[in-house]
Amino acid sequence: DTGVSQNPRHKITKRGQNVTFRCDPISEHNRLYWYRQTLGQGPEFLTYFQNEAQLEKSRLLSDRFSAERPKGSFSTLEIQRTEQGDSAMYLCASSGRTSGKATGELFFGEGSRLTVL
Amino acid sequence: EDQVTQSPEALRLQEGESSSLNCSYTVSGLRGLFWYRQDPGKGPEFLFTLYSAGEEKEKERLKATLTKKESFLHITAPKPEDSATYLCAVRGNAGKSIFGDGTTLTVKP
């Protein structure tokens, strides 16, 4: 399967614990995005990378959230000291280029569902 | 600030009953308007990209159109398998896509 892969698919944790999610994008895609989605809402932008550089991080994102994309391949999203309000689906997406231009079309993984008790 | 508003929030149709979903947007320098389909518990699936006013794209029973302020997703003679949440997103000069909250479509046989 050459689609976007996310792990784990489900994570249940207690308040105050740290969690880490991993995303493996489509191999030829240079951009990687993280979004968060709660029930009945659209995906909310968190951050994105072009290759290994983190180009933007949402102002709404607290310092407890950090993302990395070492070597421009897979990415990790870590949430420290989780709170119940962090419960959501965390979506990863990647996008590529056509004729040298970024297409903007996002290809999403199945998501990682976080439940904070 | 880039913004997307979708209406209605929910739409129930009988099989074969055509209708349209609306996406109103404000964006600084439109670099693409995108439609996605999302099934429960899954990630969104890309459907269409529109770049300029007057552009149209079609795929099976779906047709997307674009004006300077809004986009429509027309569904012709829908089937129960078209039931899903349809998301609209815009990408502007900031380089990231901003999503609306979606329209949940239910098609009854």
Side-chain angles (χ1 to χ4, degrees), chain B residues 11-74:
Chain B
L11 182 63
R12 297 172 68 90
L13 299 174
Q14 287 296 126
E15 183 173 4
E17 180 186 3
S18 302
S19 188
S20 297
L21 282 55
N22 178 264
C23 170
S24 298
Y25 65 92
T26 56
V27 65
S28 175
L30 180 67
R31 295 167 70 180
L33 182 140
F34 308 91
W35 284 97
Y36 294 84
R37 169 188 171 130
Q38 186 173 28
D39 293 303
K42 301 285 186 72
E45 175 187 355
F46 168 74
L47 292 173
F48 302 110
T49 307
L50 301 166
Y51 289 106
S52 56
E55 190 175 358
E56 298 183 354
K57 293 276 180 72
E58 283 190 70
K59 179 180 179 180
E60 297 181 351
R61 296 176 292 281
L62 301 177
K63 183 169 82 171
T65 62
L66 181 64
T67 73
K68 287 186 178 180
K69 294 184 178 180
E70 56 190 351
S71 176
F72 293 93
L73 184 66
H74 306 278

Side-chain angles (χ1 to χ4, degrees), chain A residues 49-108:
Chain A
F49 295 83
Q50 180 165 298
N51 300 315
E52 66 273 13
Q54 187 173 20
L55 295 189
E56 186 173 347
K57 183 176 176 180
S58 170
R59 292 190 302 269
L60 301 175
L61 213 56
S62 80
D63 292 340
R64 296 184 298 104
F65 287 72
S66 63
E68 294 182 341
R69 192 183 183 198
K71 301 180 183 178
S73 56
F74 70 93
S75 176
T76 58
L77 176 69
E78 181 182 19
I79 309 173
Q80 297 182 326
R81 304 181 303 282
T82 53
E83 302 172 355
Q84 288 184 327
D86 297 331
S87 295
M89 175 78 88
Y90 289 85
L91 292 165
C92 176
S94 66
S95 68
R97 303 175 73 85
T98 299
S99 301
K101 292 177 63 176
T103 64
E105 298 150 5
L106 299 178
F107 293 86
F108 283 86

